[in-house]
Structure formats: C-alpha cells, structure tokens
Amino acid sequence: MALFGTQRDAKFMASVNAELINAIIDTEIEFYKLIVEQSNSNLYGESESKSYYDSILIPCVVTKDNKSANMDDYGHTYTRTGKFAISRDILVKADFYPEVGDILFWDNEYFEIDNVDANQYFAGKNPETWPNGDSHGYSVSIVVDAHVTRQTPQGITDIRYGGNNQSPAYKG
C-alpha cells in the first residue's frame, strides 16, 4: 500500500490547484459546445452549418503556440495550435466534458478542438483503474489540443459588421 497519494493528499492538492487557477492565473476561455443533432452532415460526416449552445466561461491554463504563416491561391492565412488545461473538478461542477469539434474562444481567436486527453494523475494512479482500489490517486485535469479556425464559426457570431464612424477614434 502506498504511503502518499491518498484521497486526503489528493483533496489538498485539488484545493491548491483550484486556488491557483481561479485566483492567481485567472484566465477564462469562452466555450461553445457543438449541438450534434442540429448540425446537418453529409455522407463523409462534414457539415457546412453547425449549431452551438450558448457559451460558458471555463477557467483554465492556456499554452498558445506561435503563428505559422501561409500564402496560397486564396491569400495570406495563418495557423496556430494551442493547449488548454482544464481542472477535472471544474468540469465535474459544470457537468460538462469537452469533445472534438467544440469551439473555444480566447485572445480574440476561435480554436476548434482536435483532441481531448485525460491522462494527468496525481501520484501516477488513476483511481478508476488502479488495481488496489480507489483510495489512491486522482484525475487532475483534461488537456485539450486545438487549432485556430480559418474564420469565425457559423452559428456563433456574425463576422461581417460595420464600425462606428462617429467614434472619436475614427479619423477617416
């Protein structure tokens, strides 16, 4: 039987983790959940119009990669990937789980989820699969890999809008 990594240790670590994410880092992403039933797809599982639930704010730790520029026949574009680490406890309280195809909005960019990974365990033990019972270990977080979408996803916001030319900042 392991000496460290009990549920008591895991609860202490979870409280420190929650304080760190909510009070010190204090970064929130806007999360749009895909409505699969309302997104019409073709034979290949592709959809031209997708529907999303209203957004919710989720605190997380963000690691955003540098832009990679690309010039092709359609003009100048860029790609960027990012990792979003979300505490498992926050997701359990929100009764929510991210899935491939959902949209994240952070730093004025929309990210589409490519992969969801849940393999960060306290003391290296998954309490659901550890053979010595669920008295040790703790599933710490969900890490989401995502890429920047080429345009604002349909069904979220209107990407074509005019500015206010009466604004004092307008010098036209």
Side-chain angles (χ1 to χ4, degrees):
M1 181 71 73
L3 182 60
F4 298 104
T6 63
Q7 290 298 312
R8 181 175 175 225
D9 298 333
K11 287 179 182 178
F12 172 71
M13 200 242 359
S15 68
V16 171
N17 190 23
E19 184 175 350
L20 178 69
I21 290 173
N22 294 322
I24 297 171
I25 295 174
D26 194 27
T27 300
E28 291 181 324
I29 56 172
E30 208 168 342
F31 203 99
Y32 294 90
K33 187 79 172 149
L34 179 66
I35 306 173
V36 177
E37 298 82 22
Q38 291 183 7
S39 300
N40 297 327
S41 62
N42 60 15
L43 177 67
Y44 304 104
E46 301 166 340
S47 176
E48 291 184 19
S49 62
K50 297 179 181 179
S51 298
Y52 298 92
Y53 291 108
D54 290 335
S55 67
I56 61 171
L57 292 174
I58 301 282
C60 71
V61 177
V62 178
T63 305
K64 189 166 74 166
D65 298 329
N66 292 331
K67 287 182 181 179
S68 175
N70 183 25
M71 184 63 131
D72 57 12
D73 294 339
Y74 300 107
H76 180 78
T77 60
Y78 73 93
T79 59
R80 180 193 310 258
T81 58
K83 289 188 181 291
F84 301 85
I86 307 167
S87 171
R88 172 80 71 161
D89 293 337
I90 291 170
L91 294 175
V92 168
K93 285 180 187 174
D95 192 25
F96 174 78
Y97 191 81
E99 295 175 313
V100 173
D102 292 344
I103 299 291
L104 308 171
F105 181 70
W106 183 75
D107 197 21
N108 214 22
E109 292 178 317
Y110 288 91
F111 290 83
E112 185 173 354
I113 294 178
D114 297 322
N115 187 31
V116 179
D117 204 5
N119 64 359
Q120 294 184 337
Y121 303 113
F122 178 63
K125 296 175 182 77
N126 182 353
E128 296 173 4
T129 60
W130 195 49
N132 293 331
D134 62 355
S135 63
H136 285 71
Y138 167 68
S139 181
V140 178
S141 68
I142 305 289
V143 178
V144 172
D145 296 320
H147 70 277
V148 171
T149 59
R150 289 187 70 137
Q151 61 184 358
T152 304
Q154 295 178 355
I156 293 179
T157 58
D158 184 11
I159 63 170
R160 308 225 191 298
Y161 59 90
N164 180 5
N165 63 3
Q166 304 302 320
S167 168
Y170 180 74
K171 304 232 188 317

